[in-house]
Amino acid sequence: MPSGLVALLDDISVIAKAASASIDDIGVAASRAGVKTAGVVIDDAAVTPSYVTGLSPARELPIIWKITKGSLKNKLLFLLPGALLLSEFLPSAIIWLLMIGGAFLCYEGAEKVMEKLGAAKHGATLEDEITDPVAFENERVGGAIRTDFILSAEIMAIALNEVADETLVMRGVVLAVVAIAVTVAVYGAVAGIVKIDDLGLYLTKQASNAKQAFGRFLLRFVPKLLVALSVIGTLAMLWVGGGIIVHGTHEVGFHAIYDIIHGAEYAVKGATGGVGGVLGWLTYAGLSAVLGLILGSAIAFVLHKVLGVGADKAH
């Protein structure tokens, strides 16, 4: 009996170690996949606060919660099973889906740049009059969830590409971990961002002069933060989208763009000594963003000027 108990405990120990190793493997794989999605995640966090701008402060968190639930549904019920089916039965399609998503990010980023430079805006803007708050809120939530679906598809495709060599079960677990972690991180951050001004207003009404001063600082800081997030989000779209095109074209056999951009990266890295790693990466990211801006502008021109898509909504 004692020897049997010892053997049982030994078996449990082996199983526990295996489970621990599996958890570590999942964590490493999820981290690796998550890092690659950082640019899209930044853009997602930068875009989302705009969907509650102009609405009642009391509706901000409920709206973000609606979008969060829609985002989880997008990722876990639709995108994750679709990604696993593709990876199992048609893995060659993943790179093309990545490039389609990358082209979309380039288009979105380029359109934002063109609008800032004075081009016509397409779709509803914050300056439009709100006549029906309920309908407007539902439209905002629906628009946010649709945008989230596209960004989430890109996140899942990038993550899947990083764990393509893992088993089906491991791919599924890693994608689920990435989906939940990204959603919580993005919408948790968004919820915090949109309530900073409420905290600032609260502090300005306190008796302490220090609290009042900090509250006024927060009220001045929030608009600048939202502008900064918008700029960062646009740059992230162009950088990530352009980078996906650079690597995607290389993987399907067209090497010219990849060779030029990475050649410039390595040249800068080799010529700048101790800071070469940072400057080399910045060169790569900057050239990828330029490529994204050129490609996105071309797509926008074809859509709006040649095909007339969105022409009726331009203002």
Side-chain angles (χ1 to χ4, degrees):
M1 288 295 292
S3 62
L5 179 59
V6 170
L8 176 60
L9 292 175
D10 186 59
D11 289 343
I12 292 173
S13 174
V14 170
I15 293 170
K17 288 178 181 177
S20 176
S22 296
I23 292 172
D24 288 343
D25 290 343
I26 290 168
V28 170
S31 297
R32 190 173 74 245
V35 167
K36 290 290 185 178
T37 68
V40 188
V41 171
I42 291 170
D43 177 66
D44 207 354
V47 167
T48 306
S50 66
Y51 288 101
V52 297
T53 302
L55 298 174
S56 167
R59 297 301 305 157
E60 289 174 344
L61 293 183
I63 289 171
I64 291 171
W65 175 236
K66 286 182 181 180
I67 299 172
T68 303
K69 290 189 292 184
S71 179
L72 283 172
K73 184 178 178 181
N74 284 341
K75 293 182 180 76
L76 298 178
L77 297 186
F78 302 120
L79 295 171
L80 192 153
L84 291 179
L85 286 172
L86 271 178
S87 68
E88 193 69 13
F89 298 108
L90 196 59
S92 60
I94 295 174
I95 188 62
W96 294 102
L97 290 176
L98 272 171
M99 286 199 287
I100 291 171
F104 174 80
L105 291 176
C106 293
Y107 159 71
E108 285 280 290
E111 191 167 61
K112 288 182 179 181
V113 172
M114 291 187 293
E115 288 176 358
K116 288 293 184 184
L117 296 176
K121 293 179 170 62
H122 296 84
T125 70
L126 298 177
E127 289 80 19
D128 296 335
E129 183 181 359
I130 302 175
T131 56
D132 186 342
V134 175
F136 184 78
E137 177 179 319
N138 291 335
E139 182 181 347
R140 276 286 179 89
V141 170
I145 293 174
R146 286 192 297 273
T147 299
D148 175 271
F149 185 89
I150 296 168
L151 293 173
S152 293
E154 194 67 9
I155 288 169
M156 298 295 272
I158 293 171
L160 179 62
N161 196 51
E162 287 301 304
V163 294
D165 295 332
E166 303 289 347
T167 65
L168 178 64
V169 172
M170 177 66 85
R171 292 197 300 270
V173 173
V174 169
L175 288 181
V177 169
V178 170
I180 294 170
V182 165
T183 303
V184 171
V186 167
Y187 293 104
V190 169
I193 289 168
V194 301
K195 302 310 288 184
I196 291 176
D197 54 351
D198 290 350
L199 174 61
L201 186 61
Y202 169 78
L203 290 174
T204 60
K205 298 177 181 178
Q206 302 306 299
S208 167
N209 290 332
K211 290 181 179 179
Q212 291 179 15
F214 186 59
R216 289 192 294 270
F217 165 76
L218 290 179
L219 291 176
R220 293 192 301 269
F221 171 70
V222 169
K224 294 180 175 62
L225 174 63
L226 293 177
V227 170
L229 283 174
S230 177
V231 172
I232 292 170
T234 300
L235 291 175
M237 276 186 171
L238 295 172
W239 154 51
V240 174
I244 289 170
I245 298 300
V246 170
H247 287 277
T249 53
H250 177 65
E251 288 194 27
V252 299
F254 181 74
H255 307 297
I257 299 173
Y258 180 95
D259 290 343
I260 291 170
I261 290 180
H262 278 282
E265 175 190 0
Y266 297 142
V268 170
K269 184 177 180 179
T272 50
V275 294
V278 174
L279 294 180
W281 181 87
L282 287 174
T283 300
Y284 161 76
L287 291 176
S288 295
V290 171
L291 173 66
L293 181 60
I294 293 170
L295 175 61
S297 299
I299 294 172
F301 177 81
V302 171
L303 285 177
H304 301 318
K305 301 300 183 181
V306 178
L307 300 179
V309 176
D312 58 327
K313 296 181 180 179
H315 59 286

